[in-house]
Amino acid sequence: MKRFLKLTVLLTIIFAAPGCKKSYLDINENTNSATSSSPELVLPAALNNTASNFITYFNYGAWMAGYQANAGGYSFSGSTFFTYNWNSGTNNGLFNSAFSDLRSYQYIITSTSGVSKYVLFNAVARVMKSYYYQILVDEYGNVPYTEGLAGIDNLTPHYDDAATIYKSLVTEIDVAIAQLKANGSSTVVKALGSADVMFGGDITKWIQFANNIKLRILTRAQDGPLASFAATAFGTFSSEGFLTSDVLIDPGFVSTSARQNPLWNTYHSSYTGSNGAYAAQQIPTKWIFSFYNGTKLSDGTRGALIYKNYAANTTPTNQLGNETGVPSWISGYPAWYIGVGTALSAPAAQGILKSRVMGQLMMPAAETYFLLAEAALKGHPLSGDAATNFDNGIRASYNYLQKSGTTTTSATSTVLDAYLTAYKAANSGSYLVNYNLATTAAQRLEAIITQKYIALNFVNGFEAWQEYKRTGYPAISGTAATTTFVSLQSSATATDRLPVRNLYPTTEYNLNPNVPTGLSAYTSKIFWDVNTN
């Protein structure tokens, strides 16, 4: 019973935070938005907060995309995380954490507009504003946009149309890129310098990252009501191209304080050595293991880089929602740490949980390559053909996992090529690995999205979940543990027994009469969701 109560409190904190009693409109909820702060102080604080809040989306996505399941020894019966019986009190943290950071970025935009000295800060804030609003639209549809960040000046903002917001985000990104291009080499404006804890003041990388976010937006929008808009916008990317390296936020995490890496803190242990919040309560799904252990695909190399005791075949696994005969965690070890020590004795390692002071991965290079592969498949060859980007996405996924601790050193091309060759050989008859074996556009898209899904495994489940909603890949083929990631306790009424969106927080309904009503978590799809599942 004590374990159950602890789990209930834990899940409430993770998914309802921050501030369940306050509306996101309360600007004083976020100390990063102090109206007397300078952009040099607000930007690093906002980026650091973005890295921390990323864990809210990480946890949610890991459940929804089929990467993690409940471990033995903890009761989850009736939990909305497995029944999908969502209401306005469910998953509030997704909404609130985004707006918490958006206020900080909007503060930078508002306070620096027309101030030429801070044009680079203005541009970066616009990019991050677009990053967050895409996330909000993907999960909620209509949200406050044009009036959404006025704080106490407008406590009842209008909810803008989701598709219109998407178009506005592309414009916002284009404005930011133009500012960066025009002022990036200027000695007159204030340089980003140490305030930029993502790219260290590298303007070209900010432009390329902006292109990445724009590409993600247009990829989602290309087959829905914005198809015509997206087709045109695909021809408007900046010539700097795309960022094909892993995007990390690294504010200088400290192993001896609460400022250690948030993913490690959640899934491994605190800086005092106590088990991380999820360390003993979550284990991988049998479904995700099927992409490594030969059931669907064979990939022992990446499997061993992700999971503790994978090679020995003793990693505990479960089917989401099953509470009978469930194995517990490996005592002292979360399943996603492949090092040899526990708690404070845990050294840096390869894989997912690399170290207490690792940078927080926000967008892996692999995702960018798979976005470029799909763009080429759909007739928009932005940088290389589909097959080349597909292979590069697999290489990039392996490359990130093989890095250890805080190292940013990439594997040599020889090592990456050897891995890819072996992976293809081990799956010689599968078009999901060997792109040239795909004979139809549908098979090629399935290969791209499936490999993106594998690359995002315990890296960014939120994006993998959105891509499933959009495409239906990787395909669900039954109800057994290796054929579906849907919870056994699902109460969803959709064909695939999964929800299609979250509902707005109770605080919104209580405080804002403009909140859309009559929505269903099972049938009220986001505008770009053309998947028939």
Side-chain angles (χ1 to χ4, degrees):
M1 184 64 176
K2 288 182 179 179
R3 282 187 170 184
F4 175 75
L5 290 174
K6 287 180 180 178
L7 179 62
T8 300
V9 172
L10 169 66
L11 293 176
T12 299
I13 290 172
I14 288 177
F15 287 96
C20 61
K21 292 184 179 179
K22 294 184 178 183
S23 165
Y24 75 89
L25 293 166
D26 184 355
I27 196 169
N28 293 319
E29 182 185 329
N30 184 358
T31 57
N32 291 340
S33 295
T35 54
S36 61
S37 296
S38 68
E40 296 100 319
L41 296 177
V42 177
L43 180 60
L47 289 171
N48 177 65
N49 213 44
T50 295
S52 295
N53 282 337
F54 179 80
I55 304 304
T56 300
Y57 293 91
F58 184 100
N59 293 332
Y60 168 76
W63 290 121
M64 295 309 302
Y67 295 151
Q68 71 180 13
N70 43 298
Y74 297 88
S75 175
F76 290 81
S77 294
S79 168
T80 56
F81 303 110
F82 311 129
T83 63
Y84 311 135
N85 187 21
W86 293 351
N87 53 48
S88 58
T90 309
N91 299 334
N92 286 180
L94 300 173
F95 193 90
N96 294 337
S97 64
F99 275 106
S100 173
D101 286 347
L102 275 167
R103 286 194 302 276
S104 296
Y105 293 121
Q106 185 61 45
Y107 166 74
I108 296 174
I109 294 170
T110 301
S111 64
T112 60
S113 291
V115 183
S116 58
K117 175 183 176 181
Y118 286 116
V119 65
L120 298 181
F121 287 80
N122 186 283
V124 165
R126 290 178 186 272
V127 174
M128 295 307 298
K129 177 181 177 181
S130 300
Y131 164 87
Y132 260 120
Y133 262 113
Q134 185 223 328
I135 288 173
L136 280 167
V137 169
D138 288 352
E139 197 59 39
Y140 291 95
N142 297 358
V143 292
Y145 180 71
T146 54
E147 301 175 355
L149 301 175
I152 59 174
D153 292 332
N154 187 350
L155 297 178
T156 57
H158 169 71
Y159 272 62
D160 296 83
D161 172 70
T164 302
I165 295 173
Y166 246 46
K167 293 172 69 174
S168 296
L169 296 182
V170 172
T171 300
E172 188 88 50
I173 289 171
D174 288 344
V175 168
I177 289 175
Q179 291 175 318
L180 292 165
K181 288 169 70 76
N183 298 279
S185 60
S186 173
T187 58
V188 177
V189 304
K190 180 71 175 180
L192 295 172
S194 60
D196 177 10
V197 296
M198 182 146 23
F199 298 125
D202 191 318
I203 300 302
T204 299
K205 287 186 177 180
W206 272 108
I207 295 173
Q208 293 173 330
F209 179 62
N211 277 337
N212 285 13
I213 300 304
K214 181 176 175 178
L215 178 57
R216 188 191 273 174
I217 290 170
L218 295 180
T219 299
R220 293 269 158 76
Q222 64 186 327
D223 294 321
L226 292 184
S228 178
F229 167 80
T232 299
F234 265 109
T236 64
F237 285 98
S238 173
S239 60
E240 281 76 4
F242 303 89
L243 188 59
T244 53
S245 57
D246 298 316
V247 177
L248 306 171
I249 292 180
D250 189 358
F253 294 119
V254 180
S255 62
T256 57
S257 78
R259 290 179 54 224
Q260 67 175 359
N261 174 274
L263 182 63
W264 181 283
N265 192 71
T266 300
Y267 281 91
H268 193 285
S269 59
S270 72
Y271 74 97
T272 63
S274 61
N275 290 333
Y278 270 18
Q281 299 165 354
Q282 321 307 329
I283 55 178
T285 64
K286 295 181 184 299
W287 156 272
I288 190 60
F289 257 58
S290 70
F291 290 91
Y292 302 94
N293 66 8
T295 304
K296 287 187 177 69
L297 299 174
S298 295
D299 190 2
T301 300
R302 275 192 289 180
L305 282 171
I306 297 173
Y307 299 111
K308 184 74 176 178
N309 293 353
Y310 177 86
N313 196 30
T314 58
T315 309
T317 60
N318 188 29
Q319 183 172 10
L320 186 64
N322 171 52
E323 296 189 89
T324 302
V326 182
S328 299
W329 71 323
I330 305 165
S331 182
Y333 287 97
W336 297 273
Y337 174 67
I338 65 171
V340 295
T342 60
L344 291 179
S345 67
Q350 293 176 298
I352 299 292
L353 298 176
K354 298 178 184 295
S355 80
R356 297 180 185 277
V357 294
M358 60 186 272
Q360 181 57 53
L361 180 62
M362 303 300 294
M363 186 173 189
E367 181 187 352
T368 304
Y369 279 121
F370 289 122
L371 286 169
L372 290 169
E374 183 175 350
L377 173 64
K378 298 292 183 66
H380 309 290
L382 301 172
S383 176
D385 59 35
T388 299
N389 282 306
F390 178 85
D391 285 351
N392 283 338
I394 296 173
R395 285 189 184 93
S397 172
Y398 168 74
N399 186 44
Y400 176 73
L401 293 173
Q402 65 82 36
K403 294 177 183 178
S404 178
T406 59
T407 181
T408 57
T409 303
S410 296
T412 65
S413 58
T414 300
V415 170
L416 296 178
D417 288 346
Y419 165 74
L420 180 63
T421 298
Y423 183 43
K424 287 185 174 184
N427 301 275
S428 58
S430 175
Y431 63 82
L432 297 178
V433 177
N434 296 273
Y435 189 80
N436 64 305
L437 297 181
T439 58
T440 66
Q443 286 185 343
R444 294 182 186 105
L445 179 62
E446 181 183 6
I448 291 169
I449 300 302
T450 299
Q451 283 298 331
K452 183 191 290 187
Y453 177 84
I454 295 169
L456 292 175
N457 177 16
F458 226 66
V459 168
N460 190 340
F462 182 82
E463 280 301 309
W465 169 233
Q466 304 309 315
E467 291 293 70
Y468 172 80
K469 290 197 301 185
R470 178 175 70 94
T471 67
Y473 298 129
I476 292 172
S477 59
T479 59
T482 59
T483 61
T484 184
F485 58 83
V486 180
S487 171
L488 290 174
Q489 299 180 29
S490 173
S491 60
T493 57
T495 303
D496 60 10
R497 301 174 56 246
L498 288 164
V500 297
R501 58 164 302 126
N502 263 283
L503 303 178
Y504 303 108
T506 302
T507 50
E508 290 306 291
Y509 286 108
N510 290 342
L511 299 173
N512 188 351
N514 296 317
V515 180
T517 58
L519 297 173
S520 166
Y522 308 139
T523 60
S524 302
K525 291 185 174 185
I526 309 304
F527 76 92
W528 48 252
D529 187 352
V530 297
N531 180 16
T532 58
N533 289 347

